[in-house]
RNA sequence: GCCCGUGUAGCUCAGUAGGUAGAGCACCACCAUGGUAAGGUGGGGGUCAUCGGUUCAAAUCCGAUCAUGGGCUCCA
């Protein structure tokens, strides 16, 4: 007797082995119709999987990640089958389900065009209509290899060659199409309902730039047309929040052909920058940081000593002054080291926390540039903390808390990653282990969830990264905390301990916002350009009805400006509806309409960006309210 | 860097049997003096990204360069 415990705790008993699909059928036919995969003993499993002993099982539908995965996996097979029909010579590489949809990589001699996508979609329609049963079978390694080689699937053969010894090599077959695949898959191709092929992209075989570039097709699929439409609509909406589009519309910044990756900040963008930096300074003063500024160009010798010459040269810019070699700084730390070394330090002075809004330049690959998110020059809100080894954990915790409190002001969700020793690292394994453990402990003390990112640390130390999301869900690293035993050694940093001897301090490199530029990009998308009033470049716009009200508007403006409010008057000879429309499109938080009524009663008619007409109130009352709202950073 | 797409007025875009450029918005002028998302009329504005080639003739076809968008990580 086999006992199967279901999600709701109920138990089903079977005389002999049974497939997950059959169990779903037994629960209800309706469930079986929408079943896409099973979670068998917490393992994502194919519906065909036979249950041979007692187990827990839940049936997965499109509402579960596992179900979606299976749905998209079959979708990509249908797409691959269509491609093989249209391009019989195409070789298959890999084709997984991803977070949002699926892709498949092909090696095809001719480059695909958007027209091809339409043809492939049409062929997919036929395959879905043909409703092929999907069969799973296994082969021993040799036979599997032989089979793939015989049909010219060289990439699949290579994959089989590199599979671990103990793995079961499975295939899925639908009609004439066979693919090496671990599954899981749906029962037949007819279950794919609404789908769309979204884009063609290049992708290196196995993600290695030394390998051949393949053609990747991305797609998405849903069990209902309405879901697909909703998804496509959401994509469109997300595009409207794109910081590059809003940056132009709201006149915040621009990129010029003359400076690829070097952003220009316009007056309104500068207001946002300055507001951010003021806020940042305030928070750092409260947390006992000192602020410094180090030069942008420094002698190449410094960069040789710091290790950047050996580990970071490819990303650096160089120049010559009076026949002496200089480098443009890609990081602020070496300059910071010199600041530390300028005098003796006592253990009583530690930790020393030196912050710097430092402009750094890095040579990023041209194809990697992306609006304000990835640029070639940016301002890091950097700080270096010099401390005794005993202070490490507390200092890391303090930085994590500071970062969290600052992100909370903006209401950001974030993800934390711990990155470990990379291939081109500097320093001993012991140092790295010590540093990595310190970061881990700090995270665990705070009970923070984090993702491990093997081999992605800085060349001088492991790091904790804070990732923020953009409008379409891509994440960008912003805050970072890096523990470093190397630089203090290389620069022979010291402090005098209680014993009167010299000791080696440990240092932390850290940023909270990360790059001011990137952070502004994230801010723009997060708020869709409708900044909270304390950040808004223009906080209040006064809209006089007619020229006779200009004088009153001017007086109001002065009153508000005196209180530090960023206020402008629209003196143009236009109708009120026109002025409102423009202020609204510019996402100004408050519009004050002033005409005869308001003039007579020393009041203003308030229109809020989001709520619309709020009616009249005394001018002084509005000013007080606005100032309060700005100060509270809501 | 690599693959594919795109590059026409300040902005958004139209302009394919190749015959030396258009619209809306914005800007300027005049008229209208207007109460919660675009009042009317007129006007100025473009080396069609750059360089080269094909052609009697190129925004349009070809090549290169530059810029820009998507992707190149999420492992059958």
């Amino acid at each position: 007797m086999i006992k199967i415990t279901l999600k709701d705790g109920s138990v089903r008993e079977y005389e002999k082995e049974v497939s997950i699909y059959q169990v779903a059928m037994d629960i209800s036919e309706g469930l079986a119709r929408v079943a896409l995969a099973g979670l068998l003993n917490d393992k994502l499993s194919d519906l065909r999987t036979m249950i041979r002993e007692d187990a827990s099982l839940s049936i997965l539908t499109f509402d579960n990640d596992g179900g979606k995965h299976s749905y998209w996996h079959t979708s990509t097979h249908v797409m691959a089958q269509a491609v093989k029909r249209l391009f019989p010579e195409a070789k298959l590489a890999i084709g997984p389900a991803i977070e949002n949809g699926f892709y498949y990589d092909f090696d095809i001699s001719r480059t695909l065009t958007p027209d091809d996508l339409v043809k492939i979609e049409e062929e997919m329609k036929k395959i879905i209509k043909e409703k092929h049963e999907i069969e799973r079978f296994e082969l021993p390694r040799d036979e599997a290899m032989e089979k793939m080689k015989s049909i010219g699937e060289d990439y699949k053969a290579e994959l089989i060659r590199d599979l671990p010894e103990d793995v079961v090599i499975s295939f899925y077959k639908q009609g004439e199409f066979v693919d090496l695949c671990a599954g899981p898959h749906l029962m037949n191709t007819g279950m794919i309902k609404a789908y769309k092929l979204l884009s063609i992209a290049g992708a290196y075989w196995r993600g290695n730039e030394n390998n051949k570039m393949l053609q990747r097709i991305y797609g998405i699929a849903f069990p209902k047309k309405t879901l697909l439409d909703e998804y496509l609509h959401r994509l469109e909406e997300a595009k409207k929040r794109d910081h590059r589009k809003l940056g132009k519309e709201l006149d915040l910044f621009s990129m010029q052909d003359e400076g690829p990756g070097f952003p220009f900040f316009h007056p309104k963008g500068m207001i946002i920058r300055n507001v951010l930096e003021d806020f940042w300074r305030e928070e750092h003063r409260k947390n006992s940081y000192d602020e410094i500024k180090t030069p942008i160009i420094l002698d190449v010798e410094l960069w040789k000593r710091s290790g950047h010459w050996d580990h970071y040269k490819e990303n650096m810019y160089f120049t010559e002054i009076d026949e002496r070699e200089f480098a443009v700084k890609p990081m602020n730390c070496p300059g910071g080291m010199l600041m530390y070394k300028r005098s003796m330090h006592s253990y009583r002075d530690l930790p020393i926390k030196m912050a710097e809004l430092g402009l750094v330049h890095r040579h990023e690959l041209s194809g990697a540039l992306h609006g304000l998110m990835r640029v070639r020059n940016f301002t890091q809100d950097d700080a270096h903390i010099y401390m005794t080894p005993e202070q490490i954990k507390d200092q890391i915790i303090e930085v994590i808390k500071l970062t969290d409190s600052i992100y909370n002001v903006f209401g950001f969700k974030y993800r934390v990653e711990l990155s470990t020793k990379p291939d081109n690292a500097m320093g001993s394994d012991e140092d790295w282990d010590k540093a990595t453990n310190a970061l881990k402990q700090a995270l665990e003390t705070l009970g923070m969830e984090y993702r491990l990112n093997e081999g992605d640390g800085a060349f001088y130390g492991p790091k904790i990264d804070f990732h923020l999301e953009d409008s379409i869900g891509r994440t960008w690293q912003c805050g970072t905390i890096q523990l470093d035993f190397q630089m203090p050694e290389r620069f022979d940093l010291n402090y005098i301990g209680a014993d009167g001897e010299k000791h080696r301090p440990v240092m932390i490199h850290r940023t909270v916002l990360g790059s001011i530029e990137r952070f502004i990009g994230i801010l723009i998308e997060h708020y869709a350009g409708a900044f909270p009033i304390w950040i808004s470049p223009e906080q209040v716009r006064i809209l006089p009805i007619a020229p006779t009200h200009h004088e009153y508007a001017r007086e109001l403006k002065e009153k508000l400006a005196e209180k530090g409010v960023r206020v402008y008057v629209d003196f143009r000879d236009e109708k009120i509806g026109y002025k409102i429309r423009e202020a609204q499109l510019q996402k100004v938080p408050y519009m004050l309409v002033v005409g005869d009524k308001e003039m007579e009663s020393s009041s203003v008619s308030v229109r809020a960006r989001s709520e619309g007409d709020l009616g009249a109130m005394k001018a002084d009352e509005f000013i007080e309210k606005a100032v309060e709202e700005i100060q509270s950073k809501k």
Side-chain angles (χ1 to χ4, degrees):
Chain A
M1 196 65 82
I2 302 166
K3 288 185 182 166
I4 300 172
T5 311
L6 301 176
K7 195 168 66 173
D8 62 0
S10 67
V11 177
R12 280 184 177 264
E13 299 192 343
Y14 288 88
E15 296 279 341
K16 54 180 181 31
E17 63 172 27
V18 61
S19 72
I20 293 179
Y21 183 72
Q22 187 58 48
V23 177
M25 277 291 277
D26 293 344
I27 296 170
S28 84
E29 243 181 87
L31 180 62
R33 256 200 306 277
V34 295
L36 303 174
L39 202 60
L40 185 64
N41 293 328
D42 292 326
K43 188 171 165 264
L44 182 61
S45 305
D46 196 281
L47 289 170
R48 296 160 193 77
T49 308
M50 299 306 288
I51 305 172
R52 300 196 167 86
E53 54 198 42
D54 291 0
S56 70
L57 174 70
S58 44
I59 304 296
L60 301 179
T61 66
F62 200 78
D63 294 330
N64 312 107
D65 286 345
K68 279 197 182 97
H69 186 272
S70 168
Y71 197 82
W72 287 334
H73 209 152
T74 296
S75 303
T76 201
H77 274 208
V78 170
M79 172 171 79
Q81 184 171 11
V83 168
K84 288 286 274 189
R85 283 185 183 179
L86 296 170
F87 305 91
E89 80 290 357
K91 291 181 198 293
L92 303 174
I94 57 167
I98 52 176
E99 206 170 315
N100 277 306
F102 56 85
Y103 68 78
Y104 215 115
D105 287 348
F106 304 97
D107 184 357
I108 309 176
S109 48
R110 174 163 87 68
T111 54
L112 296 170
T113 66
D115 287 344
D116 291 324
L117 290 189
V118 176
K119 289 189 193 120
I120 296 167
E121 281 178 351
E122 280 163 14
E123 195 60 40
M124 287 172 71
K125 196 172 180 180
K126 287 186 202 158
I127 294 165
I128 290 164
K129 224 172 173 180
E130 289 159 14
K131 212 173 171 181
H132 297 286
E133 286 301 318
I134 300 173
E135 301 161 37
R136 179 179 188 277
F137 63 93
E138 294 172 7
L139 286 179
R141 180 172 300 252
D142 293 353
E143 281 179 48
M145 185 84 99
E146 199 46 48
K147 183 175 175 67
M148 288 297 106
K149 276 189 182 157
S150 70
I151 56 174
E153 295 290 5
D154 307 335
Y155 295 97
K156 295 292 179 186
E158 190 179 326
L159 289 171
I160 293 170
R161 190 193 70 202
D162 295 343
L163 283 174
E165 282 296 327
D166 53 344
V167 85
V168 174
I169 298 175
S170 59
F171 290 83
Y172 281 82
K173 179 173 185 299
Q174 58 199 45
E176 81 284 2
F177 179 81
V178 179
D179 196 4
L180 167 74
C181 183
H185 279 282
L186 311 185
M187 300 305 282
N188 66 69
T189 59
M191 295 179 73
I192 306 301
K193 300 291 181 203
Y195 57 91
K196 186 161 176 61
L197 302 186
L198 298 169
S199 61
I200 310 166
Y204 299 109
W205 167 234
R206 303 199 133 179
N208 183 334
E209 62 184 350
N210 299 315
N211 289 342
K212 182 163 185 185
M213 180 153 283
L214 308 173
Q215 299 189 70
R216 173 173 298 181
I217 303 177
Y218 281 92
I220 185 83
F222 292 93
K224 277 188 195 154
K225 173 84 164 51
T226 51
L227 289 174
L228 174 64
D229 292 342
E230 270 171 36
Y231 176 80
L232 295 175
H233 180 70
R234 269 207 310 281
L235 272 188
E236 288 306 309
E237 288 300 306
K239 276 188 202 150
K240 291 185 192 160
R241 302 171 78 107
D242 190 309
H243 75 283
R244 292 164 298 190
K245 183 173 156 66
L246 286 168
K248 203 183 276 181
E249 286 170 6
L250 303 179
D251 199 17
L252 304 176
F253 69 92
S254 61
M255 306 300 296
Q256 309 286 340
D257 281 5
E258 290 79 356
F262 301 118
F264 285 66
F265 277 81
H266 303 185
K268 288 181 184 174
M270 274 314 288
I271 290 176
I272 294 174
R273 259 191 102 113
N274 288 330
V275 166
L276 261 184
E277 290 181 5
D278 289 348
F279 169 59
W280 181 90
R281 286 202 169 90
E282 203 179 305
E283 293 302 304
H284 283 72
R285 263 198 303 269
K286 283 189 212 159
N287 280 273
S288 314
Y289 282 82
D290 295 317
E291 186 177 351
I292 59 169
K293 186 72 90 184
T294 67
I296 286 175
I297 298 175
L298 291 164
D299 195 308
V300 139
E301 287 307 315
L302 177 74
W303 303 98
K304 289 185 176 163
R305 213 186 318 161
S306 68
H308 285 82
W309 180 267
D310 289 332
H311 295 92
Y312 209 73
K313 202 173 153 201
E314 303 307 309
N315 289 295
M316 293 171 64
Y317 301 109
F318 296 94
T319 186
E320 201 187 287
I321 304 172
D322 295 342
E323 291 167 44
R324 191 169 151 191
E325 278 287 319
F326 285 81
V328 181
K329 70 176 177 184
M331 296 187 197
N332 302 300
C333 36
M337 299 289 130
L338 300 181
M339 289 290 276
Y340 180 90
K341 273 180 81 76
R342 78 194 188 283
S343 64
M344 292 291 278
H345 298 280
S346 155
Y347 72 97
R348 294 170 194 276
D349 302 331
L350 301 184
I352 290 173
K353 305 194 272 190
M354 281 198 275
E356 168 172 20
L357 289 170
L359 178 63
V360 298
H361 290 71
R362 297 182 182 176
H363 181 259
E364 298 290 345
L365 292 180
S366 60
L369 301 178
H370 183 94
L372 290 180
M373 302 298 197
R374 178 159 280 116
V375 288
R376 284 180 171 157
N377 80 340
F378 56 97
T379 304
Q380 287 184 303
D381 67 315
D382 216 340
H384 297 102
I385 302 173
Y386 305 88
M387 64 206 166
T388 67
E390 294 73 39
Q391 293 169 327
I392 293 177
K393 193 174 152 193
D394 284 349
Q395 285 305 309
I396 295 170
I397 288 175
E398 195 185 294
V399 176
I400 294 176
K401 284 184 173 165
L402 175 65
T403 306
D404 182 67
S405 76
I406 289 180
Y407 286 2
N408 282 339
V409 170
F410 303 99
F412 284 142
K413 286 187 308 189
Y414 61 88
R415 190 179 78 211
V416 177
E417 292 189 4
L418 175 63
S419 298
T420 59
K421 192 178 177 192
D423 291 340
N424 71 342
M426 202 164 75
S428 70
D429 282 349
E430 290 117 278
D431 278 355
W432 275 85
D433 285 346
K434 235 191 308 181
T436 309
N437 282 330
L439 294 177
K440 229 181 238 176
Q441 276 175 27
L443 285 170
E444 272 152 25
T445 303
L446 290 171
M448 301 193 64
E449 273 184 37
Y450 63 93
R451 188 185 283 194
L452 197 62
N453 211 347
E454 300 278 3
D456 222 23
F459 67 83
Y460 46 77
K463 54 181 189 166
I464 292 173
D465 293 331
F466 295 79
H467 295 250
L468 298 176
E469 249 181 48
D470 71 9
S471 62
I472 61 169
R474 286 183 290 217
T475 67
W476 300 89
Q477 190 206 109
C478 289
T480 182
I481 306 172
Q482 310 174 348
L483 192 54
D484 181 3
F485 292 99
Q486 312 306 325
M487 295 285 163
E489 197 66 39
R490 292 212 157 205
F491 283 89
D492 190 27
L493 302 190
N494 298 301
Y495 66 90
I496 306 300
D499 55 4
E501 300 292 318
K502 280 185 179 177
H503 296 273
R504 188 73 77 213
V506 181
M507 70 179 292
I508 288 174
H509 310 239
R510 49 111 282 181
T511 66
V512 175
L513 310 178
S515 124
I516 303 288
E517 289 74 4
R518 175 177 288 182
F519 198 80
I520 289 173
I522 298 271
L523 271 185
I524 294 170
E525 304 203 353
H526 178 68
Y527 293 118
F531 300 103
I533 190 166
W534 71 283
I535 303 173
S536 259
E538 182 175 354
Q539 295 170 317
V540 175
R541 187 179 294 186
I542 301 171
L543 311 176
I545 299 277
T548 48
H549 313 118
H550 283 186
E551 193 44 42
Y552 179 59
R554 231 185 297 270
E555 284 167 20
L556 266 178
K557 181 193 161 170
E558 274 167 29
K559 273 191 180 174
L560 278 156
E562 246 172 54
K563 298 281 186 184
V565 177
R566 295 186 286 274
V567 55
Y568 302 84
V569 185
D570 189 344
F571 287 116
R572 290 175 307 170
D573 221 359
E574 294 290 351
K575 294 178 95 166
I576 196 68
Y578 182 89
K579 292 183 183 179
I580 286 171
R581 177 182 157 79
E582 248 179 35
Q584 194 74 44
L585 289 175
Q586 284 295 304
K587 303 180 195 283
V588 179
Y590 287 110
M591 289 153 254
L592 303 181
V593 176
V594 294
D596 291 338
K597 281 185 290 183
E598 291 78 10
M599 238 165 85
E600 282 161 21
S601 56
S602 300
S603 63
V604 292
S605 282
V606 183
R607 185 187 161 99
R609 173 180 61 193
S610 43
E611 292 94 57
D613 195 351
L614 298 183
M617 71 173 76
K618 289 284 176 197
D620 291 341
E621 193 187 330
F622 172 79
I623 294 171
E624 203 176 306
K625 179 178 136 75
V627 168
E628 208 284 314
E629 197 179 329
I630 291 165
Q631 279 170 357
S632 69
K633 297 193 170 56
K634 273 185 207 146

